[in-house]
Amino acid sequence: MYYYTKLIQLFSEKYFFSVFYNRPQNKISQGVTAMKIGVPKEIKNHEYRVGLLPASALELIHHGHQVMVETGAGEGIGFLDEAYQQVGAEIVASASAVFSEAELIVKVKEPLEKERALLRSGQTLFTYLHLAPDLAQTQDLIDSNAVCIAYETVTDAAGRLPLLAPMSEVAGRMSIQAGAMCLEKSHGGSGVLLGGVPGSPQAKVVILGGGVVGRNATMMAVGMGADVTVIDRSLDALRHIDECFGNRVQTLFSTQDTVHRFVLDADLVVGSVLIPGASAPKLISRAMIQAMRQGSVLVDVAIDQGGCSETSTATTHAEPTYLIDDVVHYCVANMPGAVARTSSLALNNATLPFVLELADKGIECALQDNGHLLNGLNVCHGKVTNASVAQAHDMDYHEGLTVL
């Protein structure tokens, strides 16, 4: 009897799943037409993440929308074209086909120059932008007259950055992996093992910034047995680190003197400072780099926002490091792209509710209704709508609602 009951239960669940997911669920607001959503293949160096996974495309399609995906967009992480076709998405041959038809473009990384040339008026771009240190991209987005919403400045009710957080978690954890590798002698490092071994000292790891990146870097560094110090100007952030890790981590309030002393004594420095939407502050001067020990390592996770060292220049996964004054610099601007499958899953979990809102309500209504989403609006109809970006490039700032 038990097996018979389980068989009926399984059949019922399978039947329900089949019926539910093969019947479109029209959740589009009254007066709003179905939206065409496009997913181009990422073309940044060694970037394999994808803006929408097949599961995310399925959700949009069952809300009544159309999804078009450039061929091969998910192939790098194991999501073949067939997986998208099975959920009802259309596969198109090129990025130009996506940009020419889609009303909403969903990406991962900022559009490169040839992608920006395809943007047009009446189109919305939803992706990471990091405009403050990038004048050329900012100007191209202004010239496109498109609506450009940046993942990294969308907020939540607690003032956090929910679309930046998953990639910050990945980058924070990766920063220690990358730093440990760079410390190896074959990569130009000093030949120090993070956790040491009995009879030899641990590596000294200094983490600048105790936010999401800093907390995740701390977790990995502590787990690998390093001697860890976290420096931040937020006492709340330091208290949170202390509550999580206790006396396994030293927490210090950030002053110029503290940063100077501890950076110079570090084997590995992780730069994880963030001012939302703005260029990262230069906490590490060239003179400090010159005074650091030979073979020490800087992993600058803040490079997306220009980096926190005067010596930081963006690198790629193909050539991730360079030496300045015998200090190894790891400044890859798309660190999470190295673990693209994990990163895509984490990113889609965070972005999908916002993509659905934009599609179901229409762009203008969604931005007007949701102030947190409106905070993501960086460029709109040829005007800069993020104060930090406007200040960084000495441009006029316009309130988002007035431009819409």
Side-chain angles (χ1 to χ4, degrees), residues 4-47:
Y4 176 79
T5 304
K6 290 297 291 183
L7 185 62
I8 295 297
Q9 180 184 354
L10 287 170
F11 174 81
S12 300
E13 289 173 352
K14 184 176 181 180
Y15 176 78
F16 173 78
F17 181 86
S18 175
V19 170
F20 181 80
Y21 279 100
N22 283 286
R23 183 176 67 234
Q25 309 292 309
N26 193 332
K27 298 185 179 180
I28 303 170
S29 297
Q30 187 173 2
V32 178
T33 58
M35 187 173 289
K36 288 185 177 181
I37 299 147
V39 183
K41 183 177 181 179
E42 297 295 325
I43 59 174
K44 196 179 182 85
N45 182 277
H46 282 287
E47 181 55 76

Side-chain angles (χ1 to χ4, degrees), residues 199-256:
S200 66
Q202 310 152 289
K204 293 181 178 180
V205 176
V206 173
I207 298 169
L208 301 177
V212 178
V213 173
R215 287 197 303 274
N216 282 270
T218 301
M219 180 179 67
M220 294 295 285
V222 168
M224 295 179 75
D227 177 352
V228 184
T229 298
V230 179
I231 301 175
D232 199 295
R233 297 187 68 176
S234 167
L235 290 176
D236 286 338
L238 295 178
R239 287 190 184 101
H240 186 60
I241 295 284
D242 188 69
E243 289 168 359
C244 291
F245 302 103
N247 60 10
R248 292 176 293 172
V249 174
Q250 178 176 219
T251 58
L252 296 173
F253 185 78
S254 180
T255 64
Q256 290 187 31

